[in-house]
């Protein structure tokens, strides 16, 4: 309430100052010829050169950004089968946007300079020009339609999951502020579940139906393991609020909505170990560790490991509460043999109940 009152007072003060400035301007109007609000040739010339100067500034900043920040490793290290398609769509969109921005900004600033106001010059104008209007309507329509159609084909390729490939079925369960993963077990079928069936006394933390035969071999974990090259179909649920399952290196994101099941599928193509050997990732890890070294004492006092090591992560990409920033789960992509060995060590659902 105190904050609201302060904001209201600040708003009223700002309005009062604005009104006082308007009154002052009106009181000064017409006192001298120098107060004339009509721009002179000198003003127009100054503003024209300022427009050219700002245009040069924009292009210099753009060139420097490409030179120092132009490396985009996130568009070159996708770890899923559909990842390159997403990256190509982003690169094409960025090229089109950059080209249009470069041309339109040049025309905007150059014409403002060339046709700046001068005494005695009369502006040429006409009410309409069908040819110009057709050009600047048809060209954007063609370009945008091309991008949209390409995007729709890319989206359909991703979302049309081929069940005949027998994808591994995994449930991602979101709650403030952690993730759980549930595997379908040997039969690759998830047991029924409902938040109303949650029983903390029996350690049934996901509300899995204890009487469902398909649920008996389900495996619930807090670290996600995926076999490389194996199609995976994620079924997503939320216990409380809207979350968003975001796996950036797999170019995957889907909302987790309370009361319904959403899904997303992909095939991981790069193991964790192979991604750690990627030069782009190694450079990123080295930069992170250099920054962490500067905060060595703070990190060690917090009981954290000083050296950062790359891992795939499942993140929440919706602001879901005060600890949203820390809602993540480690993902390990490994060979089928390594995955089978890890799975053999996990408890089945029926064995995990108290």
């Amino acid at each position: 309430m105190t904050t609201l009152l302060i904001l209201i007072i600040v708003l009223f003060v700002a309005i009062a100052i604005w009104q006082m400035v308007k009154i002052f301007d009106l009181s000064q109007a017409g006192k001298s010829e120098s107060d004339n609000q009509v721009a002179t040739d000198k003003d127009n010339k100054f503003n024209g050169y300022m427009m050219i100067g700002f245009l040069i500034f924009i292009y210099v900043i753009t060139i420097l950004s490409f030179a120092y920040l132009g490396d985009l490793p996130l568009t070159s290290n996708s770890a899923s089968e559909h990842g390159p398609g997403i990256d190509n769509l982003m690169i094409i969109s960025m090229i089109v946007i950059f080209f249009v921005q470069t041309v339109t900004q040049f025309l905007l600033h150059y014409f403002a300079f060339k046709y700046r106001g001068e005494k005695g010059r009369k502006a040429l104008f006409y009410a309409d020009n069908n040819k110009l209007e057709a050009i600047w309507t048809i060209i954007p329509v063609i370009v945008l339609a091309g991008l949209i159609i390409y995007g729709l084909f890319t989206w359909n390729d991703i979302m049309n999951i081929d069940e005949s490939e027998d994808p591994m079925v995994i449930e991602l369960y979101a709650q403030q502020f952690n993730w759980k993963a549930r595997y379908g077990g040997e039969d690759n079928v998830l047991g029924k579940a409902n938040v109303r069936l949650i029983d903390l006394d029996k350690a049934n933390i996901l509300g899995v139906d204890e009487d469902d035969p398909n649920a008996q071999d389900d495996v619930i974990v807090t670290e996600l393991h995926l076999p490389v090259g194996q199609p995976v179909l994620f079924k997503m649920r939320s216990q409380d609020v809207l979350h968003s399952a975001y796996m950036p290196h797999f170019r995957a994101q889907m909302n987790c909505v309370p009361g319904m099941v959403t899904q997303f599928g992909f095939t991981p193509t790069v193991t964790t170990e192979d991604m750690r050997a990627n030069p782009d990732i190694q450079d990123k890890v080295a930069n992170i560790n250099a920054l962490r070294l500067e905060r060595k004492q703070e990190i060690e006092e917090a009981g954290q490991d000083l050296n950062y090591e790359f891992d795939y992560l499942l993140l929440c990409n919706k602001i879901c509460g005060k600890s949203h920033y820390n809602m993540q789960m480690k993902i390990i992509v490994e060979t089928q043999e390594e995955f089978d060995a890890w799975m053999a060590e996990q408890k089945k659902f029926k064995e995990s109940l108290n």
Side-chain angles (χ1 to χ4, degrees):
M1 181 59 71
T2 303
T3 304
L4 178 61
L5 289 174
I6 292 174
L7 290 174
I8 292 173
I9 292 171
V10 170
L11 177 62
F12 283 147
V13 169
I15 293 173
I17 294 174
W18 175 52
Q19 293 293 336
M20 291 173 63
V21 170
K22 286 181 64 178
I23 293 171
F24 177 78
D25 288 342
L26 290 172
S27 67
Q28 299 297 312
K31 282 194 172 182
S32 67
E33 191 174 334
S34 61
D35 291 328
N36 193 341
Q37 297 297 310
V38 178
T40 64
D41 285 355
K42 183 179 179 181
D43 296 330
N44 291 328
K45 186 175 182 180
F46 173 78
N47 287 323
Y49 279 107
M50 286 293 290
M51 293 293 279
I52 292 297
F54 190 69
L55 177 64
I56 294 171
F57 171 76
I58 290 175
Y59 286 158
V60 169
I61 289 295
T62 302
I63 293 170
L64 292 176
S65 296
F66 272 110
Y68 294 101
L69 306 172
D71 184 23
L72 299 174
L74 194 58
T75 60
S76 61
N77 58 26
S78 62
S80 64
E81 198 172 80
H82 71 266
I86 294 288
D87 292 347
N88 288 339
L89 181 60
M90 177 173 284
I91 290 171
I92 291 171
S93 299
M94 292 179 67
I95 290 173
V96 171
I97 291 170
F98 176 73
F99 173 78
V100 172
Q101 185 267 350
T102 301
V103 173
T104 55
Q105 290 300 315
F106 172 79
L107 294 175
L108 172 67
H109 291 80
Y110 174 72
F111 274 73
F113 165 76
K114 182 177 181 180
Y115 297 106
R116 62 190 182 275
E118 291 182 5
K119 191 173 182 179
R121 175 189 287 182
K122 184 178 180 180
L124 173 66
F125 69 93
Y126 37 85
D128 58 70
N129 186 310
N130 293 336
K131 183 178 180 180
L132 277 178
E133 290 179 5
I135 291 173
W136 68 49
T137 300
I138 293 173
I139 292 178
V141 165
I142 293 173
V143 174
L144 290 175
L147 286 175
I148 292 169
I149 292 171
Y150 179 31
L152 286 174
F153 276 107
T154 303
W155 177 251
N156 288 332
D157 288 342
I158 295 169
M159 297 306 295
N160 291 336
I161 299 164
D162 188 358
E163 299 282 355
S164 65
E165 295 182 358
D166 191 26
M168 177 184 294
V169 180
I170 303 174
E171 178 184 71
L172 294 179
Y173 186 81
Q175 63 183 127
Q176 295 173 311
F177 297 96
N178 63 73
W179 295 95
K180 299 288 191 301
R182 178 163 64 108
Y183 292 80
E186 296 175 1
D187 59 3
N188 197 33
V189 178
L190 292 169
K192 296 177 182 178
N194 192 300
V195 292
R196 295 180 177 85
L197 299 176
I198 292 175
D199 188 344
L200 298 182
D201 293 334
K202 298 184 68 175
N204 188 356
I205 55 177
L206 303 189
V208 179
D209 187 347
E210 299 173 22
D211 297 325
D212 185 354
N214 291 324
Q216 305 309 309
D217 64 346
D218 289 359
V219 175
I220 300 172
V221 295
T222 56
E223 184 176 272
L224 188 59
H225 284 241
L226 303 175
V228 67
Q230 168 71 43
V232 182
L233 176 59
F234 291 101
K235 302 285 187 177
M236 304 176 188
R237 286 194 298 145
S238 172
Q239 176 176 307
D240 34 50
V241 299
L242 183 66
H243 299 277
S244 187
Y246 177 46
M247 295 169 271
H249 287 89
F250 302 105
R251 307 299 189 261
Q253 178 170 313
M254 181 58 67
N255 286 345
C256 305
V257 184
M260 67 180 293
V261 176
T262 55
Q263 68 177 30
F264 194 100
F266 64 82
T267 302
T269 56
V270 183
T271 66
T272 299
E273 291 301 322
D274 288 342
M275 187 60 79
R276 287 173 179 169
N278 185 308
D280 289 333
I281 298 299
Q282 290 180 341
D283 289 343
K284 180 179 179 180
V285 170
N287 290 335
I288 292 174
N289 282 327
L291 294 173
R292 290 175 68 85
L293 192 60
E294 297 174 2
R295 302 170 52 212
K296 179 179 180 181
Q297 183 176 352
E298 178 185 344
I299 292 173
E300 290 179 343
E301 287 177 354
Q304 299 176 2
D305 189 359
L306 182 62
N307 290 321
Y308 164 78
E309 185 176 43
F310 170 83
D311 277 305
Y312 294 122
L313 289 175
L314 165 61
L315 306 169
C316 178
N317 207 24
K318 284 284 187 294
I319 299 177
C320 56
K322 62 182 180 180
S323 293
H324 156 76
Y325 69 94
N326 202 34
M327 186 172 168
Q328 55 185 268
M329 181 165 65
K330 182 178 176 181
I331 303 174
I332 296 176
V333 180
E334 55 201 357
T335 63
Q336 185 67 53
E337 293 75 17
E338 291 171 328
F339 174 81
D340 292 340
W342 171 82
M343 182 59 73
E345 299 173 353
Q346 308 307 310
K347 283 186 178 182
K348 296 180 180 179
F349 172 68
K350 63 181 179 181
E351 300 167 351
S352 67
L353 295 175
N354 293 334

